[in-house]
Amino acid sequence: MRVGCLVFAAVGALACQSPAALPSGAPIGGTPRFAPVVPDAIDHAAADLAAAALTGDPAQTAAALGRFENTSTLGASEHDTTGLGALAEETANAVLFPGRAGRDATARLLERPDVDAATRERLERTLADDPLLLAEARLRDARFVDVARVFNAVSAPVGRSISNATLLPYSLGRALARVAIDVAREDPLPLRRRQALAHWKEFRRRYPDAAEAADLDAEIADYQQAWHETQHDRALGLADDAHDDGRPRAARLYALRAQRHQASEEVRDALDRADAAIDRQDRERAHALTFEAADAAREPPFVAGEREAVLAALGAKTPEAAEIPALADVVSFRATTRDRDASESWEQLTALATDDTSVMARHATALLQDPVRNARGAFEAERTLERRRTATYVLLGPLASGPSDAPLGALEYLLDLPSRVQGASLLPFRLVGLPWRDPTRGERRMAVHARRALETARDDAEARRIRAWLLDFESRRGNAIGALRLAEAQPDFDEAELDALRDQAAEQALGVARAEQRRDLRGTLLTTVARSYPESRAGAEAGRLARELALERGGPEIRLSRGFLLENPGVTGPRGLDLAPALLDERLDNGELHTQGVVFVGGRDLLVHVVAAGEDEDAEPETLNARLSKEHLGRLVARLEETSFRNSLLDTDDALEANPQRDVWFERARLGLDERDDAKPGSEARFDYRGMRERYGMVRSRESILPVELVLQGSLADLTLGAFPRLRPPRETPDAVLYRE
Amino acid sequence: MKAPAPLGRIVLAGVAWLALACAGSPEIDPRYRPAASVLEIIAVLERHVPDDTYRFPPARDFTERNVYRSTLLRLENLERLHESALRAGHFDGAIAFAKARSLERLRAFDLAAIAYRRAAELEPTLSAEAQRSAALCDDLHAAATAPDFLATPASAGVVTLPSVEAALDAFETRAEALEQLLADAGDTHHRHVIREEIERLDLTRARHFRRLRDWIPDGGVRAAGELERVALRHQESKFAARHLLALADLYADLAVEYVEAHPPEGLRFDPGDFRDLVESGARIYEMVAARDGTPERIEARRRLEAFLAFSLSVDRDRFAP
């Protein structure tokens, strides 16, 4: 009963809420003036300390620090109530403890109880940014990764054996064998240890006289040796790949690179193999340059007195030339290759290529194998291969692929064999999923050949067949624009299908145009869509958007959302934006700021979005214009920046986001250069300051700080259930990319 | 008085720890916020004033910006935020001096000199150092803004080949002036700034000859020599890898131009000359590619692969690695 009354009262209160109204006064205050503050003795002592520190003179700085400490504790029973003590000490430390000694001083400073949270975070970050500490952290990560690999390999099979322990010895053995393979394949100097080596070297370079530098020499030498081994192995791997790809000169080059890092038996083998392959290629080339038929017993093709006939054959004007046996093939070859588009010519060339007695056989073979000149042939050959690959995939699944070329690939294949066999039994699933499979690499190669064939070939039945395949391929991969282009090139294509394709292409083009970030390019793209597809829905929509974009005001768009303004009263208050308090009092009847907040739109102008009169907060806002004075804008920008700096120190989720255009706009605003915005489209500043609650909601999801997680795993295949702990390896640092390869 | 029992002590310690943990972080008295901001910015700057920015990249502060640029921007913010509190001018000298220290690291030597002079006027403690620094910044500004040798106006319609000797003399004169400044700077942080300027002048000289290599006799050799000079003279520089990349790029360009001018199948192609160019370029690219942890490493690796692909396109009977 009581609950019912409460609900009724709540509904009644909501129903009786006054309708929204616009604010009665200006949304932003004028330029507030603040009375000058008369500095006291502490201010002067702080100023003296700042000046003394800037001279870089330790004696002056120590004396100034002493004077400051005496002044700041006067009259407060030896307690510094200003909160400046820690900062004063930090300032003096910069001069009194230069270089690496500063680290110990900072550590001592952090023991003070009066260090405020933002300063503490800043100093801790400074302390953490040290090559030696970074090297230690990377080594710790590396060791943890090593341990986690073994631990996870053991814990997973053990955890899965809860419901069925019969296969535990097998699965445990398999997991450990996998670890052994991983270890064998690992670089002599893995990524994290490489990072440690780079940090050590930097430390030694920065602080050659530090006591720790001498201790590092031996470790640096060991790691450097391992680094050379890593480079040697990688170069050798590249040499092997090049050799397998039939590029012996590249293989030789990589082998030489490996040799520069470390001379080894493998390098010598790789060099010998490359040299042998190069010699073989040379011999083949030399042979190809000789003018002889495969049938060596045949008469030499040209003899004295046939000069005129040869010249005639080159000109192909005299039918007599074809009667000379040695020249007949040449004449025939010339005739067939003149009309390369005709399929009969390719048939004749195929016949010529298989004629062992002809001197032109190798030239015909070269033409047939050339994917540019014989695009149709290349398409058909790739299609045959692709059909074979698809059939193998459907029938055999994971069993279709053999062992990898990596070290111990065969052993790995054997270990995986049971799961591969299990995977192979899922043939019905593969069969059902076949039509929805993503385009394969083979199909993409076919598409390249098909496009080339359609560019050069006549529009015969064969060309139509290729076009039909390509159209289907483009449709399957969602490229409606490409499919439309092909359909339009076909004269007898069904009109209704063509219209449907046109609509799809327009939607695709509109999607691309909408996703474009730059205003000018977006406008151009939208106009192109509207012009190219005038009769489609997307074309009309593109036209509407293009018009809207043209009417929109250009320039910056830096938004302070309502949530951000609520969470940062320093920015909202009189020393910042000076927003009318009524706009944030949660009462709609005296005007309320909309969630879209306040937007800087260039110059000194602001748009203040408020809840529209008679509407609720979910409706479109009403926009009020405001203009700030130069001083007001400069102060607001300064407040905004300093607030975001401080927030980034106090909350790791509120990290600073780099935005060069915003920063340039802020700089200009601070300096009072706000009369004319930079009109270049690339200079338009776009940025949203959003509140933390708007970004993350009421409860933020946090990544566990524990390096271990519990995994629950079930398998429908063998109806087992398992639970096991897993060590989570540390993430790679963002600079890992500078160490790879 | 009876001593508390062990359990009691533990409870007391726990309560004390809890009280400390629950206590709010100490806050700076708002009255002294302006002073705190100035001290914080100056503390960070002063920690990095002695940094050897010739050998190592400039430090970054917690905003992830160049620390000198960040100092300058934050001081500008400070002046606007605490305008009323700073109106008495007690921090003006220190702020002007700190701005000058930042500006000179950002190569705005003229603005730095102005700020130093303002600091000298306002703050007696800083006067001597500010005046010395201002004079040095004037000299550095003069050196940094000396007209480019190529920009010498010529009479309309007349094209004259630039004189190598005249250019070398001009560069030497500027270098001597900077070397003199370096000697005068002694052990101050300004020696790093001056070494950066010397490096920049050497680079300008190398680029001058690189641009002219098509116009002067043996221009390619001269340009390669100049870039080698930069790479050798500034091995300790933070830009050492970049100097090497520039040299390797020149060798790669020369190799491509050589093939364009002398097609490998032609009779004028000299395998020895081509091999020299390829090996020089490839070897230097490899040196840079071996520098773990540097962005130049990625550039060098990609360019090396592209360069080798080009060199291997030359027939084997004309070029063998």
Side-chain angles (χ1 to χ4, degrees), chain A residues 40 43 82 97 194 205 249 252 254 260 278 282 642 667 670 740-741, chain B residues 31-32 47 69 74 77 80 236 286 292 297 305 314 316 319 321:
Chain A
D40 62 10
D43 283 316
T82 63
F97 303 100
R194 271 175 91 159
R205 194 163 169 246
R249 293 172 68 195
R252 186 170 200 284
Y254 290 127
R260 279 198 283 278
I278 291 167
D282 283 353
E642 286 297 316
E667 271 179 49
R670 231 183 338 245
R740 287 194 193 291
E741 295 177 7
Chain B
R31 161 82 179 73
Y32 298 109
R47 173 69 62 199
R69 181 173 151 72
R74 294 200 68 199
N77 279 344
R80 271 146 198 81
E236 281 291 298
E286 272 191 32
D292 268 5
R297 174 178 180 273
E305 295 308 319
V314 174
R316 167 163 163 74
F319 169 67

mmCIF file of all heavy atoms in Angstrom, chain A residues 40 43 82 97 194 205 249 252 254 260 278 282 642 667 670 740-741, chain B residues 31-32 47 69 74 77 80 236 286 292 297 305 314 316 319 321:
data_model
loop_
_atom_site.group_PDB
_atom_site.id
_atom_site.type_symbol
_atom_site.label_atom_id
_atom_site.label_comp_id
_atom_site.label_asym_id
_atom_site.label_seq_id
_atom_site.Cartn_x
_atom_site.Cartn_y
_atom_site.Cartn_z
ATOM 1 N N ASP A 40 51.754 38.447 -0.161
ATOM 2 C CA ASP A 40 52.253 38.497 1.214
ATOM 3 C C ASP A 40 53.697 37.993 1.255
ATOM 4 O O ASP A 40 54.309 37.733 0.207
ATOM 5 C CB ASP A 40 51.340 37.695 2.152
ATOM 6 C CG ASP A 40 51.289 36.226 1.785
ATOM 7 O OD1 ASP A 40 52.107 35.802 0.924
ATOM 8 O OD2 ASP A 40 50.454 35.502 2.333
ATOM 9 N N ASP A 43 54.356 34.769 -0.638
ATOM 10 C CA ASP A 43 54.420 34.959 -2.095
ATOM 11 C C ASP A 43 55.790 35.489 -2.499
ATOM 12 O O ASP A 43 56.398 35.026 -3.478
ATOM 13 C CB ASP A 43 53.341 35.952 -2.540
ATOM 14 C CG ASP A 43 51.967 35.322 -2.579
ATOM 15 O OD1 ASP A 43 51.862 34.192 -3.086
ATOM 16 O OD2 ASP A 43 51.008 35.946 -2.094
ATOM 17 N N THR A 82 50.489 26.314 3.800
ATOM 18 C CA THR A 82 50.245 26.813 2.439
ATOM 19 C C THR A 82 50.117 25.677 1.429
ATOM 20 O O THR A 82 49.478 25.830 0.401
ATOM 21 C CB THR A 82 51.405 27.709 1.989
ATOM 22 O OG1 THR A 82 52.593 26.900 1.956
ATOM 23 C CG2 THR A 82 51.614 28.858 2.940
ATOM 24 N N PHE A 97 70.365 19.126 -6.710
ATOM 25 C CA PHE A 97 70.659 17.724 -7.052
ATOM 26 C C PHE A 97 70.475 17.507 -8.550
ATOM 27 O O PHE A 97 69.491 16.932 -8.992
ATOM 28 C CB PHE A 97 69.735 16.777 -6.269
ATOM 29 C CG PHE A 97 69.815 16.954 -4.791
ATOM 30 C CD1 PHE A 97 68.859 17.693 -4.109
ATOM 31 C CD2 PHE A 97 70.878 16.398 -4.072
ATOM 32 C CE1 PHE A 97 68.949 17.880 -2.739
ATOM 33 C CE2 PHE A 97 70.962 16.581 -2.701
ATOM 34 C CZ PHE A 97 70.001 17.321 -2.030
ATOM 35 N N ARG A 194 65.215 -7.445 -26.078
ATOM 36 C CA ARG A 194 65.777 -6.455 -27.017
ATOM 37 C C ARG A 194 65.520 -5.053 -26.504
ATOM 38 O O ARG A 194 66.370 -4.168 -26.586
ATOM 39 C CB ARG A 194 65.110 -6.586 -28.389
ATOM 40 C CG ARG A 194 65.799 -7.557 -29.284
ATOM 41 C CD ARG A 194 65.011 -7.715 -30.540
ATOM 42 N NE ARG A 194 65.446 -6.767 -31.556
ATOM 43 C CZ ARG A 194 65.219 -6.939 -32.846
ATOM 44 N NH1 ARG A 194 64.588 -7.996 -33.252
ATOM 45 N NH2 ARG A 194 65.636 -6.060 -33.726
ATOM 46 N N ARG A 205 74.918 5.488 -22.230
ATOM 47 C CA ARG A 205 75.270 6.686 -22.992
ATOM 48 C C ARG A 205 74.937 7.958 -22.202
ATOM 49 O O ARG A 205 75.682 8.918 -22.226
ATOM 50 C CB ARG A 205 74.484 6.662 -24.307
ATOM 51 C CG ARG A 205 74.989 7.626 -25.303
ATOM 52 C CD ARG A 205 74.524 7.346 -26.704
ATOM 53 N NE ARG A 205 74.857 8.497 -27.516
ATOM 54 C CZ ARG A 205 73.979 9.295 -28.073
ATOM 55 N NH1 ARG A 205 72.695 9.047 -27.951
ATOM 56 N NH2 ARG A 205 74.376 10.347 -28.773
ATOM 57 N N ARG A 249 69.127 -14.499 -56.379
ATOM 58 C CA ARG A 249 70.003 -13.337 -56.126
ATOM 59 C C ARG A 249 69.621 -12.668 -54.817
ATOM 60 O O ARG A 249 70.482 -12.233 -54.049
ATOM 61 C CB ARG A 249 69.913 -12.359 -57.292
ATOM 62 C CG ARG A 249 70.502 -12.950 -58.563
ATOM 63 C CD ARG A 249 70.243 -12.058 -59.729
ATOM 64 N NE ARG A 249 70.980 -10.819 -59.630
ATOM 65 C CZ ARG A 249 70.706 -9.749 -60.380
ATOM 66 N NH1 ARG A 249 69.728 -9.788 -61.241
ATOM 67 N NH2 ARG A 249 71.425 -8.659 -60.238
ATOM 68 N N ARG A 252 70.946 -14.776 -52.049
ATOM 69 C CA ARG A 252 72.382 -14.570 -51.823
ATOM 70 C C ARG A 252 72.618 -13.305 -50.998
ATOM 71 O O ARG A 252 73.433 -13.270 -50.077
ATOM 72 C CB ARG A 252 73.087 -14.465 -53.173
ATOM 73 C CG ARG A 252 74.577 -14.396 -53.073
ATOM 74 C CD ARG A 252 75.256 -14.546 -54.412
ATOM 75 N NE ARG A 252 76.640 -14.947 -54.198
ATOM 76 C CZ ARG A 252 77.587 -14.129 -53.792
ATOM 77 N NH1 ARG A 252 77.302 -12.862 -53.584
ATOM 78 N NH2 ARG A 252 78.816 -14.569 -53.590
ATOM 79 N N TYR A 254 70.575 -11.879 -48.854
ATOM 80 C CA TYR A 254 70.191 -12.076 -47.456
ATOM 81 C C TYR A 254 71.210 -12.962 -46.733
ATOM 82 O O TYR A 254 71.498 -12.749 -45.556
ATOM 83 C CB TYR A 254 68.792 -12.687 -47.360
ATOM 84 C CG TYR A 254 67.692 -11.734 -47.766
ATOM 85 C CD1 TYR A 254 66.753 -12.096 -48.724
ATOM 86 C CD2 TYR A 254 67.597 -10.475 -47.193
ATOM 87 C CE1 TYR A 254 65.751 -11.219 -49.097
ATOM 88 C CE2 TYR A 254 66.596 -9.595 -47.572
ATOM 89 C CZ TYR A 254 65.673 -9.968 -48.521
ATOM 90 O OH TYR A 254 64.689 -9.088 -48.896
ATOM 91 N N ARG A 260 77.228 -11.111 -42.203
ATOM 92 C CA ARG A 260 77.775 -9.930 -41.537
ATOM 93 C C ARG A 260 77.491 -9.970 -40.039
ATOM 94 O O ARG A 260 78.219 -9.405 -39.246
ATOM 95 C CB ARG A 260 77.181 -8.657 -42.144
ATOM 96 C CG ARG A 260 77.877 -8.256 -43.429
ATOM 97 C CD ARG A 260 77.606 -6.813 -43.776
ATOM 98 N NE ARG A 260 76.293 -6.624 -44.339
ATOM 99 C CZ ARG A 260 75.984 -6.843 -45.607
ATOM 100 N NH1 ARG A 260 76.915 -7.267 -46.447
ATOM 101 N NH2 ARG A 260 74.769 -6.655 -46.063
ATOM 102 N N ILE A 278 71.834 -19.530 -59.020
ATOM 103 C CA ILE A 278 72.142 -18.432 -59.960
ATOM 104 C C ILE A 278 72.835 -19.000 -61.190
ATOM 105 O O ILE A 278 72.525 -18.622 -62.329
ATOM 106 C CB ILE A 278 73.015 -17.367 -59.266
ATOM 107 C CG1 ILE A 278 72.183 -16.631 -58.208
ATOM 108 C CG2 ILE A 278 73.557 -16.368 -60.270
ATOM 109 C CD1 ILE A 278 73.008 -15.788 -57.262
ATOM 110 N N ASP A 282 71.675 -18.822 -64.994
ATOM 111 C CA ASP A 282 72.534 -18.272 -66.049
ATOM 112 C C ASP A 282 72.628 -19.221 -67.229
ATOM 113 O O ASP A 282 72.603 -18.805 -68.392
ATOM 114 C CB ASP A 282 73.935 -18.004 -65.487
ATOM 115 C CG ASP A 282 73.950 -16.735 -64.652
ATOM 116 O OD1 ASP A 282 72.915 -16.048 -64.642
ATOM 117 O OD2 ASP A 282 74.980 -16.453 -64.014
ATOM 118 N N GLU A 642 44.517 23.735 -18.417
ATOM 119 C CA GLU A 642 45.105 23.380 -17.120
ATOM 120 C C GLU A 642 44.232 22.350 -16.398
ATOM 121 O O GLU A 642 44.743 21.460 -15.722
ATOM 122 C CB GLU A 642 45.270 24.637 -16.258
ATOM 123 C CG GLU A 642 46.406 25.536 -16.714
ATOM 124 C CD GLU A 642 47.773 24.872 -16.613
ATOM 125 O OE1 GLU A 642 48.067 24.231 -15.602
ATOM 126 O OE2 GLU A 642 48.559 24.976 -17.578
ATOM 127 N N GLU A 667 46.071 28.114 -28.927
ATOM 128 C CA GLU A 667 47.206 29.064 -28.887
ATOM 129 C C GLU A 667 46.786 30.414 -29.430
ATOM 130 O O GLU A 667 47.107 31.464 -28.871
ATOM 131 C CB GLU A 667 48.366 28.525 -29.733
ATOM 132 C CG GLU A 667 49.314 27.641 -28.955
ATOM 133 C CD GLU A 667 50.424 27.104 -29.828
ATOM 134 O OE1 GLU A 667 51.041 27.907 -30.540
ATOM 135 O OE2 GLU A 667 50.648 25.884 -29.800
ATOM 136 N N ARG A 670 44.547 32.156 -26.980
ATOM 137 C CA ARG A 670 45.277 32.673 -25.819
ATOM 138 C C ARG A 670 45.990 33.976 -26.155
ATOM 139 O O ARG A 670 46.086 34.895 -25.357
ATOM 140 C CB ARG A 670 46.310 31.632 -25.394
ATOM 141 C CG ARG A 670 46.262 31.301 -23.945
ATOM 142 C CD ARG A 670 47.331 30.337 -23.543
ATOM 143 N NE ARG A 670 47.867 29.534 -24.601
ATOM 144 C CZ ARG A 670 47.754 28.216 -24.685
ATOM 145 N NH1 ARG A 670 47.104 27.550 -23.770
ATOM 146 N NH2 ARG A 670 48.294 27.541 -25.674
ATOM 147 N N ARG A 740 60.599 -4.761 -33.717
ATOM 148 C CA ARG A 740 60.187 -5.982 -34.415
ATOM 149 C C ARG A 740 61.035 -6.213 -35.656
ATOM 150 O O ARG A 740 61.643 -5.313 -36.171
ATOM 151 C CB ARG A 740 58.723 -5.875 -34.835
ATOM 152 C CG ARG A 740 57.798 -5.992 -33.682
ATOM 153 C CD ARG A 740 56.390 -6.231 -34.206
ATOM 154 N NE ARG A 740 55.442 -6.052 -33.140
ATOM 155 C CZ ARG A 740 55.307 -6.857 -32.103
ATOM 156 N NH1 ARG A 740 56.066 -7.930 -32.005
ATOM 157 N NH2 ARG A 740 54.438 -6.627 -31.153
ATOM 158 N N GLU A 741 60.960 -7.431 -36.159
ATOM 159 C CA GLU A 741 61.621 -7.876 -37.397
ATOM 160 C C GLU A 741 63.118 -7.954 -37.242
ATOM 161 O O GLU A 741 63.694 -7.261 -36.456
ATOM 162 C CB GLU A 741 61.276 -6.973 -38.575
ATOM 163 C CG GLU A 741 59.805 -7.030 -38.933
ATOM 164 C CD GLU A 741 59.475 -6.077 -40.066
ATOM 165 O OE1 GLU A 741 60.399 -5.498 -40.634
ATOM 166 O OE2 GLU A 741 58.297 -5.931 -40.359
ATOM 167 N N ARG B 31 44.765 30.332 -1.931
ATOM 168 C CA ARG B 31 45.417 31.653 -1.904
ATOM 169 C C ARG B 31 46.794 31.578 -2.569
ATOM 170 O O ARG B 31 47.266 32.531 -3.173
ATOM 171 C CB ARG B 31 45.514 32.055 -0.414
ATOM 172 C CG ARG B 31 46.500 33.120 -0.047
ATOM 173 C CD ARG B 31 45.890 34.498 -0.315
ATOM 174 N NE ARG B 31 46.789 35.561 0.039
ATOM 175 C CZ ARG B 31 47.880 35.877 -0.668
ATOM 176 N NH1 ARG B 31 48.183 35.210 -1.741
ATOM 177 N NH2 ARG B 31 48.636 36.900 -0.296
ATOM 178 N N TYR B 32 47.445 30.410 -2.413
ATOM 179 C CA TYR B 32 48.809 30.268 -2.944
ATOM 180 C C TYR B 32 48.859 29.425 -4.224
ATOM 181 O O TYR B 32 49.926 28.969 -4.626
ATOM 182 C CB TYR B 32 49.726 29.664 -1.870
ATOM 183 C CG TYR B 32 49.839 30.550 -0.663
ATOM 184 C CD1 TYR B 32 49.258 30.204 0.544
ATOM 185 C CD2 TYR B 32 50.499 31.774 -0.766
ATOM 186 C CE1 TYR B 32 49.329 31.040 1.639
ATOM 187 C CE2 TYR B 32 50.576 32.630 0.331
ATOM 188 C CZ TYR B 32 49.985 32.260 1.529
ATOM 189 O OH TYR B 32 50.058 33.109 2.588
ATOM 190 N N ARG B 47 64.831 21.509 -14.021
ATOM 191 C CA ARG B 47 65.348 20.143 -14.055
ATOM 192 C C ARG B 47 65.881 19.816 -15.456
ATOM 193 O O ARG B 47 66.810 19.041 -15.622
ATOM 194 C CB ARG B 47 64.211 19.193 -13.647
ATOM 195 C CG ARG B 47 64.451 17.743 -13.752
ATOM 196 C CD ARG B 47 65.452 17.168 -12.777
ATOM 197 N NE ARG B 47 65.110 17.302 -11.373
ATOM 198 C CZ ARG B 47 66.016 17.186 -10.401
ATOM 199 N NH1 ARG B 47 67.296 16.967 -10.685
ATOM 200 N NH2 ARG B 47 65.673 17.311 -9.136
ATOM 201 N N ARG B 69 58.406 23.530 -24.797
ATOM 202 C CA ARG B 69 57.165 24.050 -25.388
ATOM 203 C C ARG B 69 56.054 24.026 -24.337
ATOM 204 O O ARG B 69 55.279 24.977 -24.210
ATOM 205 C CB ARG B 69 56.790 23.176 -26.585
ATOM 206 C CG ARG B 69 55.557 23.597 -27.301
ATOM 207 C CD ARG B 69 55.366 22.758 -28.572
ATOM 208 N NE ARG B 69 53.958 22.638 -28.890
ATOM 209 C CZ ARG B 69 53.197 23.619 -29.358
ATOM 210 N NH1 ARG B 69 53.737 24.802 -29.587
ATOM 211 N NH2 ARG B 69 51.928 23.435 -29.598
ATOM 212 N N ARG B 74 52.326 26.608 -20.657
ATOM 213 C CA ARG B 74 51.755 26.635 -19.306
ATOM 214 C C ARG B 74 51.987 27.997 -18.640
ATOM 215 O O ARG B 74 51.157 28.469 -17.863
ATOM 216 C CB ARG B 74 52.335 25.502 -18.461
ATOM 217 C CG ARG B 74 51.918 24.127 -18.994
ATOM 218 C CD ARG B 74 52.052 23.056 -17.961
ATOM 219 N NE ARG B 74 51.093 23.232 -16.898
ATOM 220 C CZ ARG B 74 51.205 22.677 -15.695
ATOM 221 N NH1 ARG B 74 52.240 21.919 -15.416
ATOM 222 N NH2 ARG B 74 50.298 22.884 -14.771
ATOM 223 N N ASN B 77 49.349 30.140 -19.974
ATOM 224 C CA ASN B 77 48.085 29.834 -19.278
ATOM 225 C C ASN B 77 48.045 30.502 -17.921
ATOM 226 O O ASN B 77 47.042 31.096 -17.518
ATOM 227 C CB ASN B 77 47.958 28.319 -19.072
ATOM 228 C CG ASN B 77 47.452 27.613 -20.318
ATOM 229 O OD1 ASN B 77 46.931 28.248 -21.220
ATOM 230 N ND2 ASN B 77 47.629 26.306 -20.377
ATOM 231 N N ARG B 80 47.218 34.131 -17.776
ATOM 232 C CA ARG B 80 45.816 34.460 -17.997
ATOM 233 C C ARG B 80 44.936 34.015 -16.822
ATOM 234 O O ARG B 80 44.002 34.700 -16.434
ATOM 235 C CB ARG B 80 45.331 33.816 -19.293
ATOM 236 C CG ARG B 80 45.558 34.736 -20.464
ATOM 237 C CD ARG B 80 45.892 34.035 -21.741
ATOM 238 N NE ARG B 80 46.500 34.971 -22.688
ATOM 239 C CZ ARG B 80 47.763 35.331 -22.664
ATOM 240 N NH1 ARG B 80 48.579 34.848 -21.748
ATOM 241 N NH2 ARG B 80 48.250 36.194 -23.537
ATOM 242 N N GLU B 236 77.443 11.879 -32.507
ATOM 243 C CA GLU B 236 76.861 11.872 -31.156
ATOM 244 C C GLU B 236 75.477 12.507 -31.121
ATOM 245 O O GLU B 236 74.786 12.459 -30.107
ATOM 246 C CB GLU B 236 77.775 12.648 -30.205
ATOM 247 C CG GLU B 236 78.975 11.881 -29.737
ATOM 248 C CD GLU B 236 78.569 10.751 -28.804
ATOM 249 O OE1 GLU B 236 77.998 11.043 -27.744
ATOM 250 O OE2 GLU B 236 78.787 9.593 -29.150
ATOM 251 N N GLU B 286 71.568 -0.487 -43.772
ATOM 252 C CA GLU B 286 71.628 -1.592 -42.794
ATOM 253 C C GLU B 286 72.090 -1.091 -41.431
ATOM 254 O O GLU B 286 71.615 -1.556 -40.386
ATOM 255 C CB GLU B 286 72.568 -2.685 -43.287
ATOM 256 C CG GLU B 286 71.862 -3.701 -44.162
ATOM 257 C CD GLU B 286 72.701 -4.923 -44.456
ATOM 258 O OE1 GLU B 286 73.518 -5.315 -43.599
ATOM 259 O OE2 GLU B 286 72.554 -5.478 -45.546
ATOM 260 N N ASP B 292 67.970 -0.511 -32.854
ATOM 261 C CA ASP B 292 66.713 -0.862 -32.186
ATOM 262 C C ASP B 292 66.138 0.327 -31.427
ATOM 263 O O ASP B 292 66.875 1.106 -30.821
ATOM 264 C CB ASP B 292 66.964 -1.985 -31.179
ATOM 265 C CG ASP B 292 66.748 -3.341 -31.808
ATOM 266 O OD1 ASP B 292 66.512 -3.385 -33.023
ATOM 267 O OD2 ASP B 292 66.827 -4.345 -31.088
ATOM 268 N N ARG B 297 64.803 3.367 -37.733
ATOM 269 C CA ARG B 297 65.054 1.965 -38.037
ATOM 270 C C ARG B 297 64.006 1.430 -39.030
ATOM 271 O O ARG B 297 64.340 0.741 -39.991
ATOM 272 C CB ARG B 297 64.992 1.176 -36.729
ATOM 273 C CG ARG B 297 65.096 -0.285 -36.885
ATOM 274 C CD ARG B 297 65.073 -0.948 -35.518
ATOM 275 N NE ARG B 297 65.164 -2.365 -35.678
ATOM 276 C CZ ARG B 297 64.128 -3.161 -35.861
ATOM 277 N NH1 ARG B 297 62.927 -2.657 -35.877
ATOM 278 N NH2 ARG B 297 64.289 -4.446 -36.021
ATOM 279 N N GLU B 305 64.846 -2.415 -48.353
ATOM 280 C CA GLU B 305 64.205 -3.456 -49.160
ATOM 281 C C GLU B 305 63.856 -2.910 -50.550
ATOM 282 O O GLU B 305 64.043 -3.587 -51.555
ATOM 283 C CB GLU B 305 62.926 -3.965 -48.469
ATOM 284 C CG GLU B 305 63.172 -4.685 -47.153
ATOM 285 C CD GLU B 305 64.199 -5.808 -47.261
ATOM 286 O OE1 GLU B 305 64.177 -6.534 -48.257
ATOM 287 O OE2 GLU B 305 65.031 -5.923 -46.342
ATOM 288 N N VAL B 314 68.408 -4.995 -61.969
ATOM 289 C CA VAL B 314 69.476 -4.866 -62.968
ATOM 290 C C VAL B 314 70.014 -6.269 -63.271
ATOM 291 O O VAL B 314 70.217 -7.069 -62.356
ATOM 292 C CB VAL B 314 70.604 -3.962 -62.424
ATOM 293 C CG1 VAL B 314 71.792 -3.931 -63.380
ATOM 294 C CG2 VAL B 314 70.065 -2.563 -62.202
ATOM 295 N N ARG B 316 71.875 -9.687 -63.980
ATOM 296 C CA ARG B 316 72.965 -10.266 -63.190
ATOM 297 C C ARG B 316 74.327 -10.058 -63.842
ATOM 298 O O ARG B 316 75.332 -9.894 -63.161
ATOM 299 C CB ARG B 316 72.712 -11.761 -63.001
ATOM 300 C CG ARG B 316 73.908 -12.496 -62.472
ATOM 301 C CD ARG B 316 73.598 -13.828 -61.905
ATOM 302 N NE ARG B 316 74.806 -14.625 -61.779
ATOM 303 C CZ ARG B 316 75.746 -14.435 -60.853
ATOM 304 N NH1 ARG B 316 75.634 -13.456 -59.992
ATOM 305 N NH2 ARG B 316 76.804 -15.220 -60.802
ATOM 306 N N PHE B 319 75.219 -6.585 -62.596
ATOM 307 C CA PHE B 319 75.352 -6.315 -61.152
ATOM 308 C C PHE B 319 75.119 -7.604 -60.368
ATOM 309 O O PHE B 319 74.097 -8.260 -60.540
ATOM 310 C CB PHE B 319 74.335 -5.263 -60.696
ATOM 311 C CG PHE B 319 74.236 -5.140 -59.208
ATOM 312 C CD1 PHE B 319 75.311 -4.653 -58.467
ATOM 313 C CD2 PHE B 319 73.097 -5.538 -58.523
ATOM 314 C CE1 PHE B 319 75.234 -4.558 -57.088
ATOM 315 C CE2 PHE B 319 73.011 -5.447 -57.148
ATOM 316 C CZ PHE B 319 74.095 -4.949 -56.425
ATOM 317 N N PRO B 321 75.263 -8.985 -56.325
ATOM 318 C CA PRO B 321 75.455 -8.555 -54.943
ATOM 319 C C PRO B 321 76.630 -9.282 -54.292
ATOM 320 O O PRO B 321 76.937 -10.404 -54.664
ATOM 321 C CB PRO B 321 74.147 -8.902 -54.262
ATOM 322 C CG PRO B 321 73.511 -9.926 -55.107
ATOM 323 C CD PRO B 321 74.007 -9.723 -56.501
#
